[in-house]
Structures are given as structure tokens and as C-alpha cells.
Amino acid sequence: MARPLVSRIATNGPTVRPTWFLWEDDAFWVPTGPWARLPAHVRADPAIALVVDDCDLGTGIVRQVIARGQAEILPFDTARGRRKLVRYLGSDETRWDERFRRYLYDDPEEAGTAWLRLCPDSLTATDLSYAV
């Protein structure tokens, strides 16, 4: 969970999308906003599932985490946003694509940036790894 993996979120519909996430305070935090349909899907039906998986055929590592619960849309905070972006892009913001800097530092009220937070009702971690 500490590695910058991609999770997948499924909402009613079903709709599945890859997302970058932050695991913090016993919750998954996923940035979202008006550029995505995710907030509308969650407001219509907050029941979601999120999967994080890792599969490396070279090493035989096959692991997965499946989380289910009721998501909520919360106000965006820059400090948490920076922690999430550092996880995926590294700590040197000068090397980040401009859109990520804008996403982080533009006024979230004006841009509509928000967090999807999932505090899982169920959380299952499975290790299916094998010897190569």
C-alpha cells in the first residue's frame, strides 16, 4: 500500500476507472472534481468498491486489496493533495507536469477540486504470489 500503485474504483452503473490514491487515516483518498463523473456517481449512490492490485510475472508477486463501503465527497486540502502527488510524481515539483501543479495550487473552490474518501466497511488483502 505504500507503493504508488493504481487503484480501480467501481460505482453503480457499473463504472470502473483507474485512479491514483492515498491511503491515510484508515481511508482511501482519491482526488476528483468537475472534470470527472465520479462525484455525480457517488452522490447518486455512495456504495463503491475499490481494488488495488500488483502483478509481476517476473517475480511471481500477485497481491490484491479489495475495499468496499460508502464513499463521500469532501473539500480538497492542499497538504493531503501534495502528499498524494509526491507519492506518484516524486518530491521535486519542478519536474511535475504543469497540470499537476495547477491541480494542487489552484483555488479548490474555484476549480471544483474535491476528495472522494472511502473508509472501508470491508477490506480484504490477498497474497496470491508464487515461486518463479
Side-chain angles (χ1 to χ4, degrees):
M1 297 297 292
R3 292 186 33 231
L5 302 170
V6 174
S7 65
R8 288 153 193 87
I9 293 177
T11 59
N12 194 0
T15 300
V16 178
R17 64 191 39 83
T19 61
W20 288 356
F21 69 93
L22 184 66
W23 173 255
E24 193 172 84
D25 299 329
D26 296 324
F28 289 93
W29 296 83
V30 176
T32 191
W35 59 85
R37 289 185 227 139
L38 185 58
H41 283 283
V42 168
R43 286 184 183 106
D45 184 352
I48 69 169
L50 181 145
V51 174
V52 181
D53 58 353
D54 187 13
C55 180
D56 185 332
L57 301 177
T59 63
I61 292 175
V62 181
R63 297 179 290 211
Q64 63 186 19
V65 172
I66 301 172
R68 291 184 175 86
Q70 303 293 308
E72 58 186 326
I73 303 298
L74 298 174
F76 184 80
D77 67 275
T78 302
R80 180 169 281 135
R82 184 170 198 294
R83 289 191 298 275
K84 197 252 339 168
L85 286 173
V86 164
R87 170 181 159 86
Y88 288 90
L89 302 173
S91 60
D92 185 356
E93 291 182 31
T94 64
R95 300 189 68 191
W96 296 2
D97 184 284
E98 177 61 31
R99 65 187 159 146
F100 295 114
R101 289 193 299 268
R102 279 195 320 270
Y103 155 80
L104 188 59
Y105 294 115
D106 283 356
D107 181 354
E109 297 249 347
E110 193 174 300
T113 309
W115 284 111
L116 175 143
R117 180 177 70 175
L118 172 62
C119 294
D121 295 330
S122 72
L123 187 64
T124 306
T126 307
D127 188 339
L128 302 168
S129 300
Y130 57 89
V132 178

